[in-house]
Amino acid sequence: MKIFKDKKIFSSNIGRTIISLLMGFFIGALILAVAGYNPLEAYKVMFLGVFNKPKYIVQTIINSTPIIFTGISIAFAYKTGLFNIGAEGQFIIGSITAAILGYLLHLPHLIHVFLIIVVAGLAAGIWGGIAGFLKAKFDINEVITTIMLNWVAFYSLNYIVQLDSLKKPNAEATYDIQQSASIIVLEVWKKSKEGINWLNEHLFFKDIFKTRMNWGILIAILIAVIASYIIRKTVLGYELRSVGHNRQAAEYGGINVSKSLVSSMMIAGGIAGIAGAIQVMGISHRISTLSVMEGYGFNGIAVGLIAGGSPIGCIFAGLLFSALNYGGGKVQYILGAPTEIIDIMVGVILLFVAVPKLIALFPRLAIIFSFTKGKMGGEDNVD
Amino acid sequence: MLTNIGFIIGIALMYAAPLMFTAMGGVISEKSGVINIGLEGMMYLGAFIGAAVGYYSGNPWIAFLAAGFASGLLGLLHAVASVSFAGNQTISGFAINFIGPGIALFLSRLMFNGATMTKPIPMEGKMPKPFNGILRSLSLENTFAAQVLNQYATVYLAFILIFIVWFIFYKTRFGLRIRAVGEHPRAADTLGINVFALRYICVTLSGVFAGFGGASMSLAVVSLFSPTLISGQGYIALAAMIFGNWRPRGIMWGCLLFGAAEGLAVYMGGRTNVVVPTQVLSMLPYIITLLVLVLFIRKSNAPAADGVPYEKSSSNLI
């Protein structure tokens, strides 16, 4: 019980996050038990579903890539006091850009990829910047503009997919991007004769190469480091944080608040846009008609919030979120327990992230708990 | 021509009603000083409970109330986090947007053999159209009047709720207190108003109203619940609230604007030879909203203490 007596655990960010996670698992277990499923078995299935095979681990990492990006996007805007609900739309703009440029341009491999990342980031940056501009110029709440822009982006994608010059016949999708725009690891080689032969001899690699393993995660980590650096070490970051902390004071201190709002939303939009481009270049290779929003932006909000607004934290929060969803999907398949338990768990985790004061109360609860336990059996002296 | 306009207005009213309920939920919470970004999750749960109870009970009114009750519980949860524990209201609200759909789909799978969609509600379980009989007996079917007036009961209730909320805010002492708490909780506290209790009531009510909004989607607009039924309507209700500048009448117009654009899209998509791509039509409500915001910009009327947790003294909890 020593851990409960160490109050620091309950006041540090990481400590609070860990307790929130534990509460998510605890309440998830309660709900599963009430619904008649064995929670331990369910968590075992989830754990094995993520770690049992190298392929699963790789898939979890692949799935985490877009939400790490959108998480960073939300975290970045959050530092300026802006709530970027628009990562979903910015992601879509990035993916549209990548699908068009990836198909129409014919360029050498690395140049093609680099150009797409830059242009997709710019396009989505401008898209996000609209919300920042409207906030700075007309004081229109960014929550409403980003929600509207999400839908405009959504329907734009559905419109663009239908264009004759891009639409693949008999498909609700565009033509695939050129090979030179793909960022799947060794994509050509693994389908070649020698690749197939080599992989047949190395089953470990054969297993993981079955996935669409791509370079996106490395770019995501790079972006997280850059975003973290901008926020913490640069003048721009200082200005953004000041505006987020107290807009009036920042203005008084000579910071151009309007410019900060626009640049913050542009950067946030750009990051979400790169995520969309990475998803097209690394996974889908095309864009398809959407019937509902895919949720990268919304899940990114959860990731950014669980990470407490830290871009580096987004890497871990994104991996965790992805693992929960990937492992959680197997709970349904194997045990028949509804996978939606994962959404409830994520919600509970967020709920506890929202209430640091409640978590600060935990030591007291633990003391009361250990006190009653001590009276009953005295086994609490173990520590 | 007139019947076509009637058709558009009819569709507009039908689609606006769920937004009106939910946006009233948003405004009553925010007027008391608590941001409620969880409207989407509350609406989602309400839509499911409405459809599920409607299917099993066959009584739309029991279903409607059950939906309000279930989402009210989510409102209560948001109140506990944001009022009692002075939590971050944005994060707490967003948590509801995971919990609401999570519970709805979880329950759906348990109750409907693993499906995330409820079975269709039988005809008698669906929301009635109160004027249907009268209009038919006057043989006014397919006329302008019928297109506009022959609405589900929820449509009329939505307008009544807007009136009630307006009346409470501006004509009663209770409403004055809500506004005081949302503008300056400390001053209100000094005057003997129980800030916590009032916020609890308002945030819980916001859940109830959002639940009604969801149920008026699943019991009236369509007659079942599916995972994509709500998809973003709660956020649009939130946008309508901001659009309407936190005033019931403005919010009503915001919801009607969305409904009208929806009606126009349905009309142009199905009844004319206009070759405007449906995707572009679907974009209209959102673009119009942005334009209206830019062109008719007024000073924002958000409650001053919106989003700021109130703490009696710094040591009341720890």
Side-chain angles (χ1 to χ4, degrees):
Chain A
M1 295 306 270
K2 205 166 199 167
I3 189 168
F4 286 114
K5 284 171 190 160
D6 184 3
K7 284 199 177 184
K8 266 188 187 166
I9 287 276
F10 302 93
S11 52
S12 75
N13 279 332
I14 292 180
R16 281 203 298 261
T17 309
I18 290 172
I19 289 168
S20 302
L21 295 178
L22 292 176
M23 290 309 294
F25 275 93
F26 175 67
I27 292 177
L30 272 183
I31 294 174
L32 281 171
V34 169
Y37 300 97
N38 182 343
L40 288 179
E41 212 171 314
Y43 287 159
K44 192 180 145 198
V45 167
M46 275 167 62
F47 185 83
L48 292 178
V50 175
F51 293 104
N52 210 17
K53 285 186 186 174
K55 183 173 76 175
Y56 296 164
I57 298 175
V58 171
Q59 191 60 48
T60 303
I61 294 171
I62 293 173
N63 293 353
S64 76
T65 309
I67 51 178
I68 290 174
F69 272 107
T70 47
I72 299 168
S73 168
I74 276 92
F76 199 92
Y78 209 67
K79 286 278 182 217
T80 333
L82 294 170
F83 194 40
N84 180 20
I85 295 191
E88 187 83 31
Q90 295 144 13
F91 182 98
I92 292 174
I93 296 297
S95 64
I96 294 173
T97 312
I100 295 174
L101 296 184
Y103 168 60
L104 293 180
L105 296 183
H106 295 265
L107 290 168
H109 184 47
L110 281 177
I111 296 172
H112 201 170
V113 170
F114 184 73
L115 186 84
I116 287 175
I117 291 179
V118 170
V119 179
L122 273 176
I126 292 168
W127 196 257
I130 296 173
F133 173 78
L134 293 176
K135 171 99 176 182
K137 179 99 179 165
F138 302 105
D139 199 26
I140 302 175
N141 193 311
E142 79 280 7
V143 170
I144 185 171
T145 45
T146 49
I147 291 171
M148 299 299 124
L149 288 170
N150 278 348
W151 288 100
V152 178
F154 176 86
Y155 289 112
S156 301
L157 181 140
N158 281 348
Y159 177 68
I160 286 167
V161 170
Q162 299 297 328
L163 293 178
D164 288 339
S165 49
L166 297 169
K167 186 179 179 297
K168 201 172 175 180
N170 304 320
E172 286 299 309
T174 58
Y175 284 105
D176 278 14
I177 56 171
Q178 308 298 332
Q179 188 63 54
S180 56
S182 169
I183 55 165
I184 293 180
V185 177
L186 298 173
E187 195 189 15
V188 179
W189 173 81
K190 75 180 179 185
K191 284 177 193 158
S192 70
K193 206 167 205 173
E194 54 189 311
I196 291 168
N197 286 339
W198 191 88
L199 288 174
N200 278 334
E201 285 164 29
H202 300 79
L203 293 177
F204 175 83
F205 290 102
K206 187 183 179 185
D207 201 32
I208 59 174
F209 270 104
K210 273 183 190 157
T211 65
R212 302 208 139 194
M213 187 165 55
N214 63 68
W215 300 107
I217 186 68
L218 296 183
I219 302 170
I221 293 169
L222 182 71
I223 295 281
V225 172
I226 294 172
S228 181
Y229 180 81
I230 291 177
I231 291 172
R232 297 193 322 181
K233 305 274 182 192
T234 64
V235 176
L236 174 68
Y238 170 76
E239 291 183 353
L240 295 181
R241 277 184 291 139
S242 310
V243 172
H245 198 251
N246 187 332
R247 198 164 294 167
Q248 279 75 29
E251 186 123 52
Y252 185 71
I255 291 170
N256 186 339
V257 172
S258 297
K259 205 181 118 205
S260 286
L261 292 175
V262 178
S263 39
S264 171
M265 281 305 286
M266 281 192 78
I267 295 171
I271 295 170
I274 293 174
I278 297 284
Q279 196 69 2
V280 168
M281 293 191 293
I283 306 289
S284 63
H285 280 182
R286 67 185 77 97
I287 50 174
S288 314
T289 305
L290 296 174
S291 56
V292 286
M293 298 247 186
E294 292 174 288
Y296 294 115
F298 299 110
N299 293 339
I301 294 175
V303 169
L305 294 175
I306 291 174
S310 144
I312 303 290
C314 286
I315 300 172
F316 300 101
L319 283 168
L320 174 91
F321 194 97
S322 168
L324 275 175
N325 274 297
Y326 187 62
K330 297 180 180 175
V331 171
Q332 175 122 17
Y333 179 66
I334 296 173
L335 294 181
T339 45
E340 283 75 21
I341 190 67
I342 302 301
D343 292 323
I344 301 175
M345 283 165 64
V346 170
V348 171
I349 293 168
L350 281 174
L351 205 56
F352 277 91
V353 167
V355 287
K357 284 209 157 177
L358 175 64
I359 291 180
L361 280 181
F362 274 38
R364 272 197 193 175
L365 298 177
I367 288 165
I368 295 166
F369 178 69
S370 60
F371 190 66
T372 49
K373 212 175 163 194
K375 260 186 185 168
M376 282 159 70
E379 67 207 278
D380 194 38
N381 297 331
V382 180
D383 65 25
Chain B
M1 185 59 201
L2 203 56
T3 50
N4 285 340
I5 294 173
F7 175 81
I8 295 173
I9 297 175
I11 301 263
L13 290 170
M14 185 173 78
Y15 278 104
L19 295 175
M20 288 182 185
F21 280 112
T22 310
M24 285 302 108
V27 77
I28 200 161
S29 171
E30 304 224 348
K31 277 282 187 197
S32 78
V34 178
I35 288 178
N36 189 351
I37 211 164
L39 292 173
E40 171 88 2
M42 295 169 177
M43 208 180 170
Y44 208 106
L45 184 66
F48 168 74
I49 296 291
V53 175
Y55 173 75
Y56 282 110
S57 74
N59 183 325
W61 297 109
I62 292 174
F64 194 66
L65 291 175
F69 178 77
S71 299
L73 291 179
L74 286 183
L76 192 62
L77 191 64
H78 185 44
V80 172
S82 50
V83 181
S84 288
F85 293 101
N88 182 319
Q89 299 170 4
T90 308
I91 302 182
S92 162
F94 206 74
I96 303 286
N97 287 341
F98 274 90
I99 294 174
I103 294 177
L105 297 176
F106 191 91
L107 288 177
S108 178
R109 286 197 198 268
L110 295 184
M111 292 164 76
F112 294 91
N113 292 327
T116 53
M117 207 169 164
T118 66
K119 292 193 177 124
I121 302 162
M123 209 45 211
E124 65 275 14
K126 211 179 162 176
M127 264 298 148
K129 289 184 171 179
F131 298 134
N132 202 11
I134 302 172
L135 288 164
R136 190 174 292 168
S137 65
L138 295 173
S139 57
L140 284 171
E141 289 150 305
N142 296 322
T143 61
F144 176 78
Q147 301 268 22
V148 175
L149 287 176
N150 197 11
Q151 298 289 344
Y152 293 107
T154 41
V155 174
Y156 307 104
L157 283 177
F159 281 98
I160 292 170
L161 181 68
I162 287 178
F163 176 76
I164 291 173
V165 172
W166 170 84
F167 189 83
I168 289 175
F169 279 162
Y170 302 109
K171 302 287 168 192
T172 68
R173 194 145 64 138
F174 180 62
L176 188 65
R177 289 182 169 178
I178 295 176
R179 287 187 292 144
V181 164
E183 290 295 334
H184 203 313
R186 194 159 304 278
D189 196 2
T190 318
L191 292 173
I193 299 172
N194 188 336
V195 177
F196 287 161
L198 216 127
R199 286 191 171 172
Y200 257 92
I201 295 171
C202 289
V203 178
T204 308
L205 272 180
S206 82
V208 173
F209 295 165
F212 288 161
S216 57
M217 199 72 205
S218 64
L219 287 166
V221 177
V222 295
S223 50
L224 51 77
F225 166 85
S226 71
T228 57
L229 183 64
I230 300 304
S231 61
Q233 300 235 23
Y235 289 105
I236 291 171
L238 193 74
M241 181 195 72
I242 300 172
F243 178 90
N245 222 354
W246 288 267
R247 290 190 179 117
R249 203 172 49 179
I251 296 168
M252 179 187 79
W253 289 115
C255 296
L256 286 172
L257 175 70
F258 268 103
E262 190 87 40
L264 199 65
V266 172
Y267 170 74
M268 290 178 87
R271 290 201 169 195
T272 57
N273 302 321
V274 186
V275 271
V276 183
T278 52
Q279 295 88 356
V280 175
L281 284 175
S282 309
M283 249 183 244
L284 274 181
Y286 310 102
I287 292 175
I288 292 173
T289 304
L290 283 175
L291 285 178
V292 170
L293 281 170
V294 173
L295 296 176
F296 302 98
I297 186 69
R298 294 148 297 173
K299 204 177 170 308
S300 165
N301 217 20
D306 205 10
V308 186
Y310 180 64
E311 295 164 70
K312 248 186 151 73
S313 66
S314 56
S315 62
N316 65 332
L317 277 168
I318 300 173

